Amino acid sequence: MRRSLTSLVRPPAVARGFSTSSDKIAASVLFERLPVVVPKLDPAVYAFQEFSFRWRQRYRRKYPDEFLDMSKSRGKGDYQIDYVPAPRITEADETNDRKSLQRALDRRLYLLLYGNSNEAPSGKPVWHFPEKVYDSEETLRKCAESALESVLGDLSHTYFVGNAPMGHMVIQQTEDAPEPCKRFFFKSQVIDTDKFNIRKCEDFVWVTKDEVLEYFPEQAEFLKKIIIS
């Protein structure tokens, strides 16, 4: 008996996509500058380190006096220099210049833009992250790269962390946003620069996590979970 060939026929290929619904899809970028200096220690951590140091000093191995005298007799080499730490508080901190990357050196800074947003198509400018509505890009990561490139001009001083989004949220239909939107967040980091030529926006700021929440009070709970201090 001949075997039926019906089960061997493959269904026609389906065009690649990210959603079968009519919801709009957008990619947003959390563009961050990592801390430049070591953050100040928490008092509890400092107390523990102080205790650990004193404990090690008390029970440390004792070396012969001859060995210690030999180490003191060494001459000073050219490798020894006087170290003067740079100030932790900069001029941008004192003037609260949020356009500068030279502020909050012990914290992460995030780029926010002020202008037209896909979340508010009514034309009213709002604060938002770099973003782009998914169109025909190969992946959402490519869409996120395009969003950041349109703001910076190029991606030579950026590094995208991973290919998958770090989180997503659904923007419900409102008066300002008549069309629902699924927004996917990608992380990118500043590499080897302290200044960008930000464009295609009316204004911009570099702000810490706590300051970001001030700009988005309605989304604060969600942003607390995905943004690192």
Side-chain angles (χ1 to χ4, degrees), residues 148-162:
L148 189 58
E149 185 175 10
S150 66
V151 175
L152 304 181
D154 63 79
L155 301 178
S156 58
H157 292 287
T158 68
Y159 171 72
F160 273 80
V161 183

Side-chain angles (χ1 to χ4, degrees), residues 195-208:
K195 188 175 183 180
F196 287 97
N197 183 22
I198 307 297
R199 57 184 188 177
K200 291 189 176 181
C201 63
E202 298 182 20
D203 198 2
F204 69 91
V205 290
W206 290 96
V207 289
T208 64

Side-chain angles (χ1 to χ4, degrees), residues 2-3 20 25 38 41 56 73 92 97 109 112 124 137 144 166 171-172 177 201 224 226:
R2 297 181 62 184
R3 180 180 297 176
T20 58
I25 294 178
V38 178
L41 291 177
R56 290 194 301 269
S73 63
D97 181 9
L109 293 181
L112 297 182
K124 179 181 178 181
E137 292 83 3
M166 59 186 297
I171 307 299
Q172 301 294 343
C201 63
K224 283 180 182 179
I226 67 171

Side-chain angles (χ1 to χ4, degrees), residues 52-63 65 68:
S52 299
F53 174 77
R54 294 181 180 277
W55 188 90
R56 290 194 301 269
Q57 289 293 102
R58 181 176 181 180
Y59 297 102
R60 73 183 187 279
R61 177 182 296 180
K62 293 185 178 180
Y63 293 94
D65 295 338
L68 298 177

